[in-house]
Amino acid sequence: MVKITVIGAGSLAWSATLVRDLCLTPSLRGSTVVFMDINKERLSLIDAFAKRYASEVKANLVFEKTTDRRAALKDSDVVINTAMAGGHSYYENMRMISEKHGYYRGINSVEWNMVSDYHTIWGYYQFKLALDIARDIEELSPEAWLLQLANPVFELTTLISRETKTRIIGLCHGHLGYLEISSILGLNPRNIDFEAIGFNHVIWLTRFKHDGEDAYRFIDDWIRNKAEEYWRIWREDQVNPFDIQMSPAAVDMYRTYGLFPVGDTVRGGTWKYHWNLETKRKWYGSLAGPDSETGWKVYLDMLQYNFDTIAAAIKDPAPLTRVLPPNLSRESVVPIIDSLMNDKVGTYQVNVLNMGVIADLPDDVAVEIPAKVDGRGVHRMRVEKLPRRIVNYVLRPRMMRMEWALEAFLDGGRDTLFEWLVTDTRTKSTEQVNQVIDDILSMPENLEMAKHFK
Ligand code: NAD
């Protein structure tokens, strides 16, 4: 019998989808799903949701809940980590302090990582939590697979792969951006063959074929003849800040670096797209993209709304399937579990150590690539070659930030924070660097972090 453990299960938006997909996967029936979270209220909600949903769709699964992480992890076959240490408000406070010192969107936001909950340099507690979970797995269920969903997937997959023997796969749904590209171009996704590779949140469309023929020509044609009209209407109608896959920023990145950016990649880029709200609006539309003061508020409100909707549905005797209809999502988490546990071969977008797949990058860095997964694990496949421009101007600089963040976490010391900031294009003086470090480290929540960076 398979034991699946979810750490940070109170992430209701995630867990509800997970529960639905598990319930709708007959080959995983009979499994035990253990929810673990430090928040008892959220834990009870997801547990109640899961039990009722499973009974409505007649899925034979056992659900348990606990606040004891080690008990939850013991003898697991699969562990899903969706935990975010500190919660959104903690990071919003650090963002506010950073902005007082001239660091718009926070000291964490840097070139090729502008994503507001992809916490790197200020993610001390998040790194610690993820590494502790991986070390517990190493001890308590050494054969288990860790599916790392909590961000930063790039940093954490690399860190855990280097520091532990735990078998980890980092997962993200960003690559599904190829579906948006296809549908806006008027192409049937079923006839598309695509490949998008690089690092998590920094992936580039290395192959894009429609009915076996190169489909980049459709992108070029769209840019030449349709983009302006599309953007005119898009700017007027935009309701979703994440609706940026075919934004002017994406097209500009394509022109600059030579391949089309996919999914969250569009949210990154250099400061060219991010200086301030006005700049962000120019490139990402009226809501200024998700990683702006306007767009991020929409996202956090939406998370709260989703949470409230599910919490209300649990209190309501009406069927939960009305709120979450019994259709499989597009998330790959449950299909990957099925492949690993039931030895079903499937091809998935995964984050694993490079080990030579992308020739221009070191072996011990987590890359995002397609791979075959079955009962024996992950089998890397050959991928297309990335242009030199993407390697030198995008991936290597992003990799350097990852290495700095890992060093800051592992070694500590104030100089690691200082070096991070002194190379930041927003830095105007040494005093500015010292003041922002002092203010962030004197937050009451950062007592332990302050000792680490002393
Ligand atoms: P959230 O704060 O709503 O949920 C996180 C949960 O973690 C909470 O229930 C919290 O109580 C719990 N938690 C905190 N500390 C814990 C600990 N020590 N032990 C156990 N549980 C703990 O956050 P969210 O918005 O649901 O995001 C969760 C994570 O998922 C974030 O890192 C986010 O960036 C990431 N995310 C990943 C993807 C992806 O495709 N991989 C997509 C969206 C979000």
Side-chain angles (χ1 to χ4, degrees), residues 329-399:
S329 76
R330 288 193 173 277
E331 298 290 341
S332 59
V333 181
V334 173
I336 286 190
I337 297 176
D338 197 19
S339 287
L340 290 168
M341 295 298 113
N342 296 319
D343 195 20
K344 288 189 189 164
V345 185
T347 303
Y348 304 97
Q349 185 86 358
V350 299
N351 290 266
V352 288
L353 288 190
N354 184 27
M355 306 307 284
V357 173
I358 300 182
D360 300 294
L361 299 172
D363 284 350
D364 67 343
V365 166
V367 288
E368 183 162 316
I369 46 171
K372 290 224 183 302
V373 177
D374 62 19
R376 287 176 301 126
V378 178
H379 311 282
R380 293 163 180 80
M381 296 154 55
R382 272 179 71 98
V383 295
E384 311 280 342
K385 195 164 168 50
L386 282 160
R388 213 173 41 203
R389 269 217 146 183
I390 289 184
V391 173
N392 286 342
Y393 286 89
V394 179
L395 296 178
R396 286 192 175 138
R398 177 66 183 92
M399 183 173 72

Side-chain angles (χ1 to χ4, degrees), residues 7-14 36-39 42 69 82-88 117-118 126 129 148-153 171-174 299 303 331:
I7 308 290
S11 167
L12 261 198
W14 264 117
M36 186 271 152
D37 203 291
I38 50 169
N39 183 322
R42 284 173 167 232
R69 189 174 81 210
T82 63
M84 189 170 72
H88 287 285
D117 64 349
Y118 211 90
Q126 180 69 347
L129 174 60
Q148 180 69 36
L149 269 66
N151 282 321
V153 166
L171 293 178
C172 177
H173 44 213
Y299 179 63
L303 285 182
E331 298 290 341

